[in-house]
Amino acid sequence: MPLDPTTLTSERLVLRPLRAADADALFAIFSDSAVTRYWSSTAWTTMQQARDYIAAAAEGLASGSALRLGIELAASGELVGQAALYAFQPANRRCDAGYALARAHWGKGYVSEAMTALLEHGFGALDLNRVEADIDPRNTASARALTRLGFEREGLLRERWMVGGEITDTEFYGLLKRDWEYRVTVNRAG
């Protein structure tokens, strides 16, 4: 079942469907080896990879398999990253989550802000029960971001990925709808 081309807003950000005009900004983000250091693929080397990513995002919406949204600064309209819910398992009301942010915008809380909006949509409008994330254990910044969002570390799979000739482990994180709702309730009350 197709997903709606959703636009979400937060205090500083607009999350919106990717479009052809985003190719240059996406290429700048994903061609940076610091951004892709712990990603599941190596840094992009051609602009075609950005165009293919945008096409795959549109196909994900059409097929209902992925909601990949650009992270745009509300004040300037600059595309600074992407956040996604993907690999939907409708029978289990579950999916995976992922994100990437341009290096110049690290440490400003944008990942947490974007993912809060995306998770609110996922647990609300999409009626998900569980969202999962897998990260390279060396990516401590991502682990902190997931923990701040309420994800629980659930396990380690040794030597799960081979990226650019390097074998890496995966740490799994999970977030349940009931835990998300409790967290939101506590934050509103406190």
Side-chain angles (χ1 to χ4, degrees), residues 4-7 15-19 22 61 68-70:
D4 291 328
T6 303
T7 298
L15 280 70
R16 54 143 179 94
L18 294 168
R19 48 187 179 241
D22 295 326
L61 279 176
R68 294 189 187 281
L69 300 176

Side-chain angles (χ1 to χ4, degrees), residues 98-156:
Y99 42 82
L101 195 65
R103 185 179 357 174
H105 299 282
W106 291 356
K108 298 177 182 177
Y110 291 147
V111 166
S112 292
E113 188 173 331
M115 290 305 295
T116 295
L118 192 56
L119 290 166
E120 189 66 36
H121 180 71
F123 289 126
L126 300 179
D127 195 31
L128 293 169
N129 183 61
R130 178 179 169 83
V131 176
E132 301 173 352
D134 73 281
I135 65 168
D136 187 311
R138 299 169 296 176
N139 191 348
T140 57
S142 193
R144 283 191 307 272
L146 290 171
T147 302
R148 275 193 305 272
L149 288 163
F151 282 79
E152 296 283 334
R153 183 183 180 276
E154 296 180 333
L156 176 75

Side-chain angles (χ1 to χ4, degrees), residues 20-154:
D22 295 326
D24 288 339
L26 280 175
F27 182 73
I29 293 165
F30 284 100
S31 64
D32 182 345
S33 61
V35 171
T36 60
R37 173 67 182 106
Y38 302 118
W39 198 251
S40 56
S41 61
T42 58
W44 292 353
T45 57
T46 70
M47 186 60 72
Q48 187 60 44
Q49 290 170 289
R51 291 190 285 270
D52 291 347
Y53 191 86
I54 293 166
E59 173 54 33
L61 279 176
S63 69
S65 64
L67 178 61
R68 294 189 187 281
L69 300 176
I71 302 172
E72 182 179 282
L73 298 180
S76 67
E78 178 187 2
L79 186 80
V80 298
Q82 68 86 35
L85 297 176
Y86 64 98
F88 285 95
Q89 304 258 330
N92 300 304
R93 294 178 36 224
R94 174 185 70 184
C95 73
D96 291 351
Y99 42 82
L101 195 65
R103 185 179 357 174
H105 299 282
W106 291 356
K108 298 177 182 177
Y110 291 147
V111 166
S112 292
E113 188 173 331
M115 290 305 295
T116 295
L118 192 56
L119 290 166
E120 189 66 36
H121 180 71
F123 289 126
L126 300 179
D127 195 31
L128 293 169
N129 183 61
R130 178 179 169 83
V131 176
E132 301 173 352
D134 73 281
I135 65 168
D136 187 311
R138 299 169 296 176
N139 191 348
T140 57
S142 193
R144 283 191 307 272
L146 290 171
T147 302
R148 275 193 305 272
L149 288 163
F151 282 79
E152 296 283 334
R153 183 183 180 276
E154 296 180 333

